[in-house]
Amino acid sequence: NAGVTQTPKFRILKIGQSMTLQCTQDMNHNYMYWYRQDPGMGLKLIYYSVGAGITDKGEVPNGYNVSRSTTEDFPLRLELAAPSQTSVYFCASTTAPFGEGGYEQYFGPGTRLTVT
Amino acid sequence: GENVEQHPSTLSVQEGDSAVIKCTYSDSASNYFPWYKQELGKRPQLIIDIRSNVGEKKDQRIAVTLNKTAKHFSLHITETQPEDSAVYFCAASKGSYIPTFGRGTSLIVHP
């Protein structure tokens, strides 16, 4: 298993540009998440998905959009990039039997995004 | 919603010493408490976790304790080594599968 993979690893965007961060997992996990991590800070949840076709907002969704058309893929779209979106973005996934909470999250390697 | 406070933000120890990181949570319904280690430039990875029906769990040099009454849980690392240097994150979650993370503790182990 490759686990959770993310592309690209690095990207520099100009203000106002758009891009899509890709995330794929091959563990057949239902739950997928997007976090951002600012320097010296913790993880802030942007969006999450509990299964194909279902997404919901996290703590900091403004300026982002997601889709979940398959179990494997959970892309994050940045529209009209702003300097405040400079961060490291982590995708994660977990499996959790229905009705039970609390299982390990598997993180991707991250995408380092700079908006200038 | 859940609120997780983590202390200290930075912890500096000598190799061989013990290190303790503490987290408090606000939602008494939280029932799963993982700890993640993040080395510089790497992804977070689970090192140990505990569920609310257990008071303590150990894995070699790492242990986690949970006090449900006081709503706090702690990570204990004994005989620290330079390779233990990293940022450690605690988290708390319940049935919603959406964990709330602490802000992280930067552990520095001096040789």
Side-chain angles (χ1 to χ4, degrees):
Chain A
N1 285 353
V4 181
T5 57
Q6 291 181 238
T7 57
K9 287 190 171 64
F10 304 94
R11 184 72 186 268
I12 298 174
L13 277 183
K14 293 191 185 302
I15 294 171
Q17 287 185 322
S18 300
M19 76 165 294
T20 299
L21 281 66
Q22 302 291 345
C23 175
T24 299
Q25 54 89 11
D26 61 359
M27 297 173 283
N28 201 33
H29 285 173
N30 291 327
Y31 298 84
M32 296 187 74
Y33 313 79
W34 273 107
Y35 293 94
R36 60 176 287 173
Q37 185 177 35
D38 298 332
M41 302 293 283
L43 296 159
K44 293 188 177 179
L45 183 65
I46 305 171
Y47 270 95
Y48 66 99
S49 169
V50 301
I54 306 170
T55 63
D56 208 346
K57 295 178 181 179
E59 181 185 358
V60 289
N62 290 347
Y64 307 94
N65 273 303
V66 293
S67 59
R68 184 95 181 270
S69 56
T70 66
T71 299
E72 294 78 21
D73 300 306
F74 190 39
L76 177 72
R77 178 83 177 161
L78 276 73
E79 305 281 2
L80 299 175
S84 61
Q85 293 178 304
T86 294
S87 191
V88 178
Y89 291 83
F90 287 101
C91 179
S93 71
T94 189
T95 184
F98 182 78
E100 296 185 38
Y103 282 80
E104 174 182 2
Q105 284 186 307
Y106 294 84
F107 286 84
T111 294
R112 187 173 297 274
L113 176 67
T114 302
V115 183
T116 61
Chain B
E2 175 68 277
N3 183 47
V4 176
E5 300 281 341
Q6 183 172 346
H7 298 282
S9 56
T10 305
L11 180 58
S12 184
V13 300
Q14 290 296 129
E15 182 177 358
D17 288 350
S18 294
V20 180
I21 303 169
K22 182 175 176 178
C23 288
T24 60
Y25 60 99
S26 60
D27 190 340
S28 57
S30 289
N31 56 10
Y32 177 65
F33 308 93
W35 285 91
Y36 290 86
K37 176 183 180 182
Q38 185 178 28
E39 297 175 352
L40 190 62
K42 305 283 188 179
R43 74 190 81 185
Q45 291 191 293
L46 182 77
I47 54 171
I48 196 166
D49 57 11
I50 193 167
R51 299 185 188 278
S52 58
N53 58 350
V54 176
E56 182 176 2
K57 184 176 179 181
K58 292 184 73 172
D59 183 3
Q60 300 183 339
R61 296 186 297 108
I62 293 173
V64 56
T65 58
L66 172 66
N67 183 327
K68 288 190 292 182
T69 303
K71 290 190 282 189
H72 68 70
F73 57 110
S74 300
L75 177 71
H76 304 255
I77 305 175
T78 58
E79 300 172 20
T80 53
Q81 301 167 4
E83 52 265 38
D84 294 328
S85 295
V87 178
Y88 292 80
F89 292 98
C90 65
S93 70
K94 48 186 180 179
S96 63
Y97 317 121
I98 309 299
T100 300
F101 284 87
R103 293 186 62 169
T105 295
S106 177
L107 174 64
I108 304 164
V109 181
H110 299 280

PDB file of all heavy atoms in Angstrom, chain B residues 16-41:
ATOM      1  N   GLY B  16      18.497  10.983  28.161  1.00  0.00           N
ATOM      2  CA  GLY B  16      18.372  10.092  29.307  1.00  0.00           C
ATOM      3  C   GLY B  16      17.331  10.531  30.319  1.00  0.00           C
ATOM      4  O   GLY B  16      16.858   9.720  31.122  1.00  0.00           O
ATOM      5  N   ASP B  17      16.985  11.824  30.293  1.00  0.00           N
ATOM      6  CA  ASP B  17      15.942  12.321  31.191  1.00  0.00           C
ATOM      7  C   ASP B  17      14.573  11.868  30.695  1.00  0.00           C
ATOM      8  O   ASP B  17      14.419  11.373  29.584  1.00  0.00           O
ATOM      9  CB  ASP B  17      15.967  13.849  31.257  1.00  0.00           C
ATOM     10  CG  ASP B  17      17.159  14.373  32.030  1.00  0.00           C
ATOM     11  OD1 ASP B  17      17.857  13.555  32.678  1.00  0.00           O
ATOM     12  OD2 ASP B  17      17.392  15.595  31.977  1.00  0.00           O
ATOM     13  N   SER B  18      13.571  12.079  31.553  1.00  0.00           N
ATOM     14  CA  SER B  18      12.179  11.828  31.156  1.00  0.00           C
ATOM     15  C   SER B  18      11.535  13.123  30.692  1.00  0.00           C
ATOM     16  O   SER B  18      11.942  14.215  31.098  1.00  0.00           O
ATOM     17  CB  SER B  18      11.388  11.258  32.338  1.00  0.00           C
ATOM     18  OG  SER B  18      11.872   9.990  32.699  1.00  0.00           O
ATOM     19  N   ALA B  19      10.536  12.990  29.847  1.00  0.00           N
ATOM     20  CA  ALA B  19       9.771  14.135  29.354  1.00  0.00           C
ATOM     21  C   ALA B  19       8.291  13.854  29.538  1.00  0.00           C
ATOM     22  O   ALA B  19       7.836  12.729  29.299  1.00  0.00           O
ATOM     23  CB  ALA B  19      10.078  14.384  27.883  1.00  0.00           C
ATOM     24  N   VAL B  20       7.574  14.877  29.979  1.00  0.00           N
ATOM     25  CA  VAL B  20       6.129  14.740  30.181  1.00  0.00           C
ATOM     26  C   VAL B  20       5.421  15.906  29.491  1.00  0.00           C
ATOM     27  O   VAL B  20       5.773  17.066  29.692  1.00  0.00           O
ATOM     28  CB  VAL B  20       5.749  14.726  31.679  1.00  0.00           C
ATOM     29  CG1 VAL B  20       4.234  14.576  31.829  1.00  0.00           C
ATOM     30  CG2 VAL B  20       6.477  13.609  32.399  1.00  0.00           C
ATOM     31  N   ILE B  21       4.438  15.581  28.677  1.00  0.00           N
ATOM     32  CA  ILE B  21       3.618  16.584  27.993  1.00  0.00           C
ATOM     33  C   ILE B  21       2.170  16.343  28.405  1.00  0.00           C
ATOM     34  O   ILE B  21       1.709  15.208  28.405  1.00  0.00           O
ATOM     35  CB  ILE B  21       3.756  16.466  26.463  1.00  0.00           C
ATOM     36  CG1 ILE B  21       5.231  16.597  26.055  1.00  0.00           C
ATOM     37  CG2 ILE B  21       2.913  17.531  25.763  1.00  0.00           C
ATOM     38  CD1 ILE B  21       5.498  16.237  24.596  1.00  0.00           C
ATOM     39  N   LYS B  22       1.487  17.435  28.747  1.00  0.00           N
ATOM     40  CA  LYS B  22       0.133  17.300  29.284  1.00  0.00           C
ATOM     41  C   LYS B  22      -0.893  18.002  28.402  1.00  0.00           C
ATOM     42  O   LYS B  22      -0.619  19.078  27.869  1.00  0.00           O
ATOM     43  CB  LYS B  22       0.086  17.891  30.689  1.00  0.00           C
ATOM     44  CG  LYS B  22      -1.252  17.761  31.383  1.00  0.00           C
ATOM     45  CD  LYS B  22      -1.162  18.266  32.815  1.00  0.00           C
ATOM     46  CE  LYS B  22      -2.513  18.226  33.503  1.00  0.00           C
ATOM     47  NZ  LYS B  22      -2.447  18.663  34.905  1.00  0.00           N
ATOM     48  N   CYS B  23      -2.044  17.369  28.260  1.00  0.00           N
ATOM     49  CA  CYS B  23      -3.155  17.967  27.516  1.00  0.00           C
ATOM     50  C   CYS B  23      -4.419  17.918  28.360  1.00  0.00           C
ATOM     51  O   CYS B  23      -4.654  16.924  29.065  1.00  0.00           O
ATOM     52  CB  CYS B  23      -3.394  17.245  26.205  1.00  0.00           C
ATOM     53  SG  CYS B  23      -2.117  17.569  24.977  1.00  0.00           S
ATOM     54  N   THR B  24      -5.202  18.964  28.283  1.00  0.00           N
ATOM     55  CA  THR B  24      -6.518  18.977  28.911  1.00  0.00           C
ATOM     56  C   THR B  24      -7.570  19.139  27.828  1.00  0.00           C
ATOM     57  O   THR B  24      -7.319  19.768  26.799  1.00  0.00           O
ATOM     58  CB  THR B  24      -6.648  20.102  29.943  1.00  0.00           C
ATOM     59  OG1 THR B  24      -6.433  21.364  29.280  1.00  0.00           O
ATOM     60  CG2 THR B  24      -5.625  19.952  31.045  1.00  0.00           C
ATOM     61  N   TYR B  25      -8.746  18.551  28.064  1.00  0.00           N
ATOM     62  CA  TYR B  25      -9.820  18.649  27.089  1.00  0.00           C
ATOM     63  C   TYR B  25     -11.088  19.099  27.795  1.00  0.00           C
ATOM     64  O   TYR B  25     -11.200  19.011  29.022  1.00  0.00           O
ATOM     65  CB  TYR B  25     -10.014  17.321  26.355  1.00  0.00           C
ATOM     66  CG  TYR B  25     -10.377  16.143  27.230  1.00  0.00           C
ATOM     67  CD1 TYR B  25     -11.695  15.726  27.359  1.00  0.00           C
ATOM     68  CD2 TYR B  25      -9.392  15.428  27.903  1.00  0.00           C
ATOM     69  CE1 TYR B  25     -12.022  14.640  28.140  1.00  0.00           C
ATOM     70  CE2 TYR B  25      -9.708  14.346  28.702  1.00  0.00           C
ATOM     71  CZ  TYR B  25     -11.025  13.947  28.809  1.00  0.00           C
ATOM     72  OH  TYR B  25     -11.351  12.866  29.598  1.00  0.00           O
ATOM     73  N   SER B  26     -12.036  19.588  27.020  1.00  0.00           N
ATOM     74  CA  SER B  26     -13.217  20.195  27.629  1.00  0.00           C
ATOM     75  C   SER B  26     -14.469  19.328  27.551  1.00  0.00           C
ATOM     76  O   SER B  26     -15.346  19.439  28.410  1.00  0.00           O
ATOM     77  CB  SER B  26     -13.506  21.548  26.965  1.00  0.00           C
ATOM     78  OG  SER B  26     -13.742  21.381  25.574  1.00  0.00           O
ATOM     79  N   ASP B  27     -14.557  18.469  26.525  1.00  0.00           N
ATOM     80  CA  ASP B  27     -15.776  17.697  26.304  1.00  0.00           C
ATOM     81  C   ASP B  27     -15.687  16.346  27.008  1.00  0.00           C
ATOM     82  O   ASP B  27     -14.906  15.485  26.613  1.00  0.00           O
ATOM     83  CB  ASP B  27     -15.991  17.506  24.798  1.00  0.00           C
ATOM     84  CG  ASP B  27     -17.357  16.927  24.476  1.00  0.00           C
ATOM     85  OD1 ASP B  27     -17.986  16.332  25.371  1.00  0.00           O
ATOM     86  OD2 ASP B  27     -17.783  17.059  23.323  1.00  0.00           O
ATOM     87  N   SER B  28     -16.480  16.154  28.030  1.00  0.00           N
ATOM     88  CA  SER B  28     -16.414  14.910  28.800  1.00  0.00           C
ATOM     89  C   SER B  28     -16.845  13.692  27.978  1.00  0.00           C
ATOM     90  O   SER B  28     -16.604  12.557  28.382  1.00  0.00           O
ATOM     91  CB  SER B  28     -17.279  15.018  30.057  1.00  0.00           C
ATOM     92  OG  SER B  28     -18.619  15.332  29.709  1.00  0.00           O
ATOM     93  N   ALA B  29     -17.455  13.908  26.825  1.00  0.00           N
ATOM     94  CA  ALA B  29     -17.863  12.797  25.963  1.00  0.00           C
ATOM     95  C   ALA B  29     -16.720  12.295  25.080  1.00  0.00           C
ATOM     96  O   ALA B  29     -16.852  11.241  24.436  1.00  0.00           O
ATOM     97  CB  ALA B  29     -19.041  13.203  25.081  1.00  0.00           C
ATOM     98  N   SER B  30     -15.618  12.994  25.022  1.00  0.00           N
ATOM     99  CA  SER B  30     -14.481  12.531  24.215  1.00  0.00           C
ATOM    100  C   SER B  30     -14.001  11.199  24.747  1.00  0.00           C
ATOM    101  O   SER B  30     -13.945  10.972  25.966  1.00  0.00           O
ATOM    102  CB  SER B  30     -13.350  13.550  24.252  1.00  0.00           C
ATOM    103  OG  SER B  30     -13.699  14.697  23.515  1.00  0.00           O
ATOM    104  N   ASN B  31     -13.673  10.278  23.834  1.00  0.00           N
ATOM    105  CA  ASN B  31     -13.333   8.930  24.280  1.00  0.00           C
ATOM    106  C   ASN B  31     -12.099   8.345  23.588  1.00  0.00           C
ATOM    107  O   ASN B  31     -11.782   7.171  23.774  1.00  0.00           O
ATOM    108  CB  ASN B  31     -14.535   7.995  24.065  1.00  0.00           C
ATOM    109  CG  ASN B  31     -14.998   7.991  22.619  1.00  0.00           C
ATOM    110  OD1 ASN B  31     -14.340   8.517  21.743  1.00  0.00           O
ATOM    111  ND2 ASN B  31     -16.149   7.377  22.388  1.00  0.00           N
ATOM    112  N   TYR B  32     -11.428   9.144  22.786  1.00  0.00           N
ATOM    113  CA  TYR B  32     -10.235   8.645  22.103  1.00  0.00           C
ATOM    114  C   TYR B  32      -9.192   9.738  22.107  1.00  0.00           C
ATOM    115  O   TYR B  32      -9.469  10.884  21.727  1.00  0.00           O
ATOM    116  CB  TYR B  32     -10.585   8.248  20.672  1.00  0.00           C
ATOM    117  CG  TYR B  32      -9.407   7.780  19.841  1.00  0.00           C
ATOM    118  CD1 TYR B  32      -8.716   6.617  20.166  1.00  0.00           C
ATOM    119  CD2 TYR B  32      -8.994   8.503  18.739  1.00  0.00           C
ATOM    120  CE1 TYR B  32      -7.647   6.194  19.399  1.00  0.00           C
ATOM    121  CE2 TYR B  32      -7.925   8.087  17.966  1.00  0.00           C
ATOM    122  CZ  TYR B  32      -7.248   6.932  18.306  1.00  0.00           C
ATOM    123  OH  TYR B  32      -6.189   6.513  17.544  1.00  0.00           O
ATOM    124  N   PHE B  33      -7.947   9.365  22.536  1.00  0.00           N
ATOM    125  CA  PHE B  33      -6.906  10.363  22.763  1.00  0.00           C
ATOM    126  C   PHE B  33      -5.594   9.874  22.148  1.00  0.00           C
ATOM    127  O   PHE B  33      -4.820   9.152  22.776  1.00  0.00           O
ATOM    128  CB  PHE B  33      -6.746  10.617  24.262  1.00  0.00           C
ATOM    129  CG  PHE B  33      -8.053  10.940  24.938  1.00  0.00           C
ATOM    130  CD1 PHE B  33      -8.807   9.939  25.512  1.00  0.00           C
ATOM    131  CD2 PHE B  33      -8.522  12.239  24.961  1.00  0.00           C
ATOM    132  CE1 PHE B  33     -10.034  10.218  26.122  1.00  0.00           C
ATOM    133  CE2 PHE B  33      -9.732  12.538  25.565  1.00  0.00           C
ATOM    134  CZ  PHE B  33     -10.492  11.530  26.149  1.00  0.00           C
ATOM    135  N   PRO B  34      -5.327  10.275  20.914  1.00  0.00           N
ATOM    136  CA  PRO B  34      -4.074   9.870  20.267  1.00  0.00           C
ATOM    137  C   PRO B  34      -2.971  10.901  20.473  1.00  0.00           C
ATOM    138  O   PRO B  34      -3.235  12.081  20.735  1.00  0.00           O
ATOM    139  CB  PRO B  34      -4.475   9.811  18.790  1.00  0.00           C
ATOM    140  CG  PRO B  34      -5.532  10.854  18.654  1.00  0.00           C
ATOM    141  CD  PRO B  34      -6.245  10.925  19.990  1.00  0.00           C
ATOM    142  N   TRP B  35      -1.743  10.437  20.325  1.00  0.00           N
ATOM    143  CA  TRP B  35      -0.572  11.307  20.314  1.00  0.00           C
ATOM    144  C   TRP B  35       0.168  11.084  18.995  1.00  0.00           C
ATOM    145  O   TRP B  35       0.429   9.945  18.603  1.00  0.00           O
ATOM    146  CB  TRP B  35       0.369  10.990  21.474  1.00  0.00           C
ATOM    147  CG  TRP B  35      -0.130  11.475  22.795  1.00  0.00           C
ATOM    148  CD1 TRP B  35      -0.909  10.794  23.690  1.00  0.00           C
ATOM    149  CD2 TRP B  35       0.141  12.749  23.386  1.00  0.00           C
ATOM    150  NE1 TRP B  35      -1.155  11.568  24.789  1.00  0.00           N
ATOM    151  CE2 TRP B  35      -0.520  12.777  24.635  1.00  0.00           C
ATOM    152  CE3 TRP B  35       0.855  13.881  22.987  1.00  0.00           C
ATOM    153  CZ2 TRP B  35      -0.471  13.884  25.494  1.00  0.00           C
ATOM    154  CZ3 TRP B  35       0.906  14.972  23.834  1.00  0.00           C
ATOM    155  CH2 TRP B  35       0.252  14.976  25.069  1.00  0.00           C
ATOM    156  N   TYR B  36       0.510  12.196  18.344  1.00  0.00           N
ATOM    157  CA  TYR B  36       1.227  12.131  17.082  1.00  0.00           C
ATOM    158  C   TYR B  36       2.601  12.793  17.242  1.00  0.00           C
ATOM    159  O   TYR B  36       2.739  13.793  17.946  1.00  0.00           O
ATOM    160  CB  TYR B  36       0.457  12.857  15.972  1.00  0.00           C
ATOM    161  CG  TYR B  36      -0.801  12.137  15.547  1.00  0.00           C
ATOM    162  CD1 TYR B  36      -1.997  12.329  16.231  1.00  0.00           C
ATOM    163  CD2 TYR B  36      -0.792  11.261  14.464  1.00  0.00           C
ATOM    164  CE1 TYR B  36      -3.155  11.663  15.855  1.00  0.00           C
ATOM    165  CE2 TYR B  36      -1.947  10.596  14.078  1.00  0.00           C
ATOM    166  CZ  TYR B  36      -3.122  10.803  14.778  1.00  0.00           C
ATOM    167  OH  TYR B  36      -4.259  10.140  14.400  1.00  0.00           O
ATOM    168  N   LYS B  37       3.578  12.223  16.549  1.00  0.00           N
ATOM    169  CA  LYS B  37       4.926  12.796  16.515  1.00  0.00           C
ATOM    170  C   LYS B  37       5.178  13.317  15.113  1.00  0.00           C
ATOM    171  O   LYS B  37       4.908  12.621  14.120  1.00  0.00           O
ATOM    172  CB  LYS B  37       5.951  11.706  16.860  1.00  0.00           C
ATOM    173  CG  LYS B  37       7.408  12.133  16.761  1.00  0.00           C
ATOM    174  CD  LYS B  37       8.326  10.953  17.055  1.00  0.00           C
ATOM    175  CE  LYS B  37       9.788  11.342  16.969  1.00  0.00           C
ATOM    176  NZ  LYS B  37      10.690  10.175  17.209  1.00  0.00           N
ATOM    177  N   GLN B  38       5.691  14.535  15.030  1.00  0.00           N
ATOM    178  CA  GLN B  38       5.997  15.114  13.732  1.00  0.00           C
ATOM    179  C   GLN B  38       7.447  15.579  13.726  1.00  0.00           C
ATOM    180  O   GLN B  38       7.806  16.563  14.378  1.00  0.00           O
ATOM    181  CB  GLN B  38       5.063  16.285  13.406  1.00  0.00           C
ATOM    182  CG  GLN B  38       5.279  16.823  12.001  1.00  0.00           C
ATOM    183  CD  GLN B  38       4.328  17.955  11.656  1.00  0.00           C
ATOM    184  OE1 GLN B  38       3.862  18.699  12.521  1.00  0.00           O
ATOM    185  NE2 GLN B  38       4.033  18.110  10.378  1.00  0.00           N
ATOM    186  N   GLU B  39       8.274  14.869  12.988  1.00  0.00           N
ATOM    187  CA  GLU B  39       9.658  15.284  12.822  1.00  0.00           C
ATOM    188  C   GLU B  39       9.718  16.416  11.806  1.00  0.00           C
ATOM    189  O   GLU B  39       8.808  16.599  11.001  1.00  0.00           O
ATOM    190  CB  GLU B  39      10.512  14.090  12.393  1.00  0.00           C
ATOM    191  CG  GLU B  39      10.546  12.998  13.447  1.00  0.00           C
ATOM    192  CD  GLU B  39      11.291  11.757  13.005  1.00  0.00           C
ATOM    193  OE1 GLU B  39      11.673  11.661  11.832  1.00  0.00           O
ATOM    194  OE2 GLU B  39      11.490  10.873  13.857  1.00  0.00           O
ATOM    195  N   LEU B  40      10.785  17.164  11.865  1.00  0.00           N
ATOM    196  CA  LEU B  40      10.913  18.366  11.041  1.00  0.00           C
ATOM    197  C   LEU B  40      10.732  18.041   9.554  1.00  0.00           C
ATOM    198  O   LEU B  40      11.421  17.172   9.009  1.00  0.00           O
ATOM    199  CB  LEU B  40      12.279  18.996  11.277  1.00  0.00           C
ATOM    200  CG  LEU B  40      12.484  20.388  10.676  1.00  0.00           C
ATOM    201  CD1 LEU B  40      11.510  21.389  11.279  1.00  0.00           C
ATOM    202  CD2 LEU B  40      13.914  20.854  10.856  1.00  0.00           C
ATOM    203  N   GLY B  41       9.781  18.708   8.936  1.00  0.00           N
ATOM    204  CA  GLY B  41       9.543  18.526   7.511  1.00  0.00           C
ATOM    205  C   GLY B  41       8.812  17.252   7.136  1.00  0.00           C
ATOM    206  O   GLY B  41       8.682  16.936   5.960  1.00  0.00           O
TER     207      GLY B  41
END
